[in-house]
Amino acid sequence: MLDRPDGRVVISTDTFVVSPLEFPGGDIGALAVHGTLNDVAMMGAEPRWLCAGFVLEEGLPFVVLDRMIASMGAAARAAGVPVVAGDTKVVERGRADGIYVNTTGVGIQYDDFHPAPNRARPGDAVIVSGPIARHGMAVMAAREGLGLETTITSDTACLVPLMRRLRHQVGDDVHVLRDPTRGGVASALHEIAQTSRVGIELDARALPIPEAVNSACAMLGLDPLYVACEGVLLAFGAPDRVPEALTALRGHALAAEAVQIGVVTKDHAGLVVLRTPIGGRRIVDLLPGDQLPRIC
Amino acid sequence: MLDRPDGRVVISTDTFVVSPLEFPGGDIGALAVHGTLNDVAMMGAEPRWLCAGFVLEEGLPFVVLDRMIASMGAAARAAGVPVVAGDTKVVERGRADGIYVNTTGVGIQYDDFHPAPNRARPGDAVIVSGPIARHGMAVMAAREGLGLETTITSDTACLVPLMRRLRHQVGDDVHVLRDPTRGGVASALHEIAQTSRVGIELDARALPIPEAVNSACAMLGLDPLYVACEGVLLAFGAPDRVPEALTALRGHALAAEAVQIGVVTKDHAGLVVLRTPIGGRRIVDLLPGDQLPRIC
């Protein structure tokens, strides 16, 4: 039983089946908290409560369960959001894969901040808060034992502080917020272009892709634009507010490398177009299915 | 994004792993809706929104998925509660068992109705809304192919109308509401006795146990007092309001056989005691674990 909320309620639910349960930079516990808090925050809402439902496989070592629960607790405490309800079911060996967890987050929307996927307008700047494609490649590398020279760590993190900073510094001139998880930056932008009926033009040279991620992607024939982030946000907003937006973001360690990566256009509505380093242009299409299974 | 609520928010989450997915009287879809709506209703709240998170096993026939989704939809529509958010994950064959589903329900508490597990008082009547132990035995019989002469059907149902009737006719003289799911009537009463620091005395002759359920329990060495219901509620309330409570309940088809099964005592606080038909008394203890796995 919770307080009487002082605003509109926002709710988001997400089920996590990531394999392996632990990977460089994170684990299913932290991911399940961050993923849902971030979805609530991207709607311009302050997350207030979380609940969690577990499916546990018979034979799961308690020490692993304890670690995952401790990780969830730490992530929720760091965000200041209590886990107020929960449920646990146990299934027979071979009927799950260690731990699956669903989290549902409830938040209260700010009255003065209304980012939404249909509010992108021609002329808007597109900003990304940090290096992309880390989470998906960290999980893939851990699962497949790629043995890369450099360990890629997941970016899993709570984006609530970045959302608060943008609201405080830029307010409703922030038109869209989105965390590019499954399907990566490409899929998130594609959906926004479709929902807002605008075009998006990306500058390939501006995209912050870590060298190790680029190499691993090349090795596996993956395009980093489609690889999931779990601690990065995309912000669309009025072009004259870009300096304040970048200052607001860069003031937080998570977004020290925030950068503009594109603009919204009237042309080619519904499409995302990439300007390549050699001056070409290619359409960034939607992939028909999940490129990487079980990364969240 | 939802309305601004006009009261305190109640939230409940539950994960469903029932096997088989379909059983006489219900399926995982209907169960997942009823189970969570009932938990919200038992807190004296009107359920307003549901969300659902799925884990699907690769190879699950679409026709089965479609049936389960249709069943969820029908149950939610019948209750007048929209499913406002959802998520789907797919895992490899052998990493789940067809479908697991988590539902989270959000409701708004009535200002004039406050049933709570710590409000049972000596003298209170204990009422049950209908025949007990049907759900657990229906699932067990379907799973184990017991080949009973009479098919036992699950009682899975939405208890919201019964809660509304009790509120309307009896109001805050209803002290406790509880749906006795996992662990059955015995576990629910045990928890209430502990939380309210009172004793509970049950009359074995008054317990509504269907004949077929009794036989199946005897065959398997199970005590029906510990077998889950999914469409039955327990209500504790002022003894002088019993007639109104029974009239309110019996006016709805779900509770045509509502009956008083016991009283709350000052003696033996924390314990549930059963008066047997031959005049004996035995303590109804808490079972150390789940008697029946994967029945919800």
Side-chain angles (χ1 to χ4, degrees), chain A residues 98-162:
Chain A
I99 302 177
Y100 299 147
V101 56
N102 172 281
T103 51
T104 300
V106 176
I108 308 299
Q109 206 191 26
Y110 291 111
D111 279 338
D112 58 355
F113 192 52
H114 305 92
N118 64 355
R119 284 189 60 214
R121 300 174 200 165
D124 276 1
V126 181
I127 288 172
V128 67
S129 67
I132 66 169
R134 289 171 53 199
H135 175 73
M137 291 317 294
V139 172
M140 280 297 285
R143 185 160 74 210
E144 309 298 339
L146 292 187
L148 306 173
E149 280 181 30
T150 316
T151 300
I152 300 171
T153 56
S154 167
D155 59 339
T156 186
C158 176
L159 297 170
V160 175
L162 300 187

Side-chain angles (χ1 to χ4, degrees), chain B:
Chain B
M1 209 179 308
L2 311 168
D3 304 336
R4 181 187 293 260
D6 47 358
R8 290 186 71 178
V9 170
V10 165
I11 188 165
S12 182
T13 193
D14 213 344
T15 298
F16 296 84
V17 300
V18 65
S19 166
L21 295 175
E22 297 175 280
F23 44 82
D27 56 44
I28 195 171
L31 188 65
V33 170
H34 295 151
T36 290
L37 293 180
N38 292 349
D39 286 344
V40 171
M42 295 304 99
M43 298 181 76
E46 189 68 32
R48 292 282 292 275
W49 307 291
L50 270 175
C51 53
F54 295 86
V55 176
L56 305 180
E57 185 186 11
E58 182 192 351
L60 172 76
F62 270 108
V63 61
V64 175
L65 180 60
D66 288 346
R67 265 206 312 273
M68 297 306 102
I69 298 293
S71 175
M72 284 188 86
R77 267 189 299 274
V81 180
V83 180
V84 294
D87 180 57
T88 305
K89 294 292 190 302
V90 177
V91 296
E92 306 90 324
R93 210 179 280 260
R95 297 297 192 181
D97 194 7
I99 302 177
Y100 299 147
V101 57
N102 172 281
T103 51
T104 300
V106 176
I108 309 299
Q109 206 190 27
Y110 291 111
D111 280 338
D112 58 356
F113 191 53
H114 305 92
N118 65 354
R119 284 190 60 214
R121 299 176 202 163
D124 276 1
V126 181
I127 287 172
V128 67
S129 67
I132 66 169
R134 288 171 53 197
H135 176 74
M137 290 317 294
V139 172
M140 280 298 285
R143 185 160 73 211
E144 308 299 338
L146 293 187
L148 306 174
E149 279 181 30
T150 317
T151 301
I152 301 170
T153 57
S154 166
D155 59 338
T156 185
C158 176
L159 296 170
V160 175
L162 300 188
M163 177 275 290
R164 287 191 198 127
R165 280 170 166 265
L166 285 171
R167 170 178 171 254
H168 194 68
Q169 299 292 329
V170 187
D172 232 6
D173 284 338
V174 174
H175 298 152
V176 184
L177 286 180
R178 174 63 63 90
D179 56 330
T181 55
R182 267 200 286 186
V185 168
S187 306
L189 292 180
H190 192 91
E191 194 183 322
I192 293 163
Q194 294 271 331
T195 310
S196 292
R197 296 162 192 263
V198 294
I200 296 174
E201 190 166 299
L202 287 183
D203 178 359
R205 286 167 307 186
L207 287 171
I209 307 172
E211 190 44 46
V213 167
N214 237 336
S215 309
C217 280
M219 200 164 91
L220 296 171
L222 298 173
D223 182 341
L225 268 179
Y226 295 90
V227 176
C229 314
E230 290 285 352
V232 164
L233 63 76
L234 298 164
F236 286 55
D240 56 328
R241 307 299 299 275
V242 168
E244 287 134 298
L246 289 178
T247 303
L249 289 170
R250 290 176 183 159
H252 193 283
L254 261 185
E257 298 170 55
V259 64
Q260 180 171 354
I261 57 170
V263 292
V264 176
T265 64
K266 227 187 291 200
D267 294 343
H268 57 80
L271 293 182
V272 181
V273 170
L274 186 74
R275 268 191 292 118
T276 64
I278 55 165
R281 291 156 66 95
R282 72 171 172 90
I283 290 176
V284 180
D285 239 334
L286 206 58
L287 291 186
D290 262 3
Q291 190 179 228
L292 303 173
R294 296 191 56 191
I295 50 121
C296 60

Side-chain angles (χ1 to χ4, degrees), chain A residues 167-222:
Chain A
R167 170 178 170 255
H168 193 70
Q169 299 292 329
V170 187
D172 232 7
D173 285 338
V174 174
H175 298 151
V176 185
L177 286 180
R178 173 64 62 92
D179 56 330
T181 55
R182 267 199 286 186
V185 168
S187 306
L189 292 180
H190 191 91
E191 193 183 322
I192 294 162
Q194 295 271 330
T195 309
S196 292
R197 296 163 191 262
V198 294
I200 297 174
E201 191 166 299
L202 288 182
D203 178 0
R205 284 168 309 187
L207 287 171
I209 307 172
E211 190 44 47
V213 168
N214 236 336
S215 310
C217 280
M219 202 165 90
L220 296 171
L222 298 173

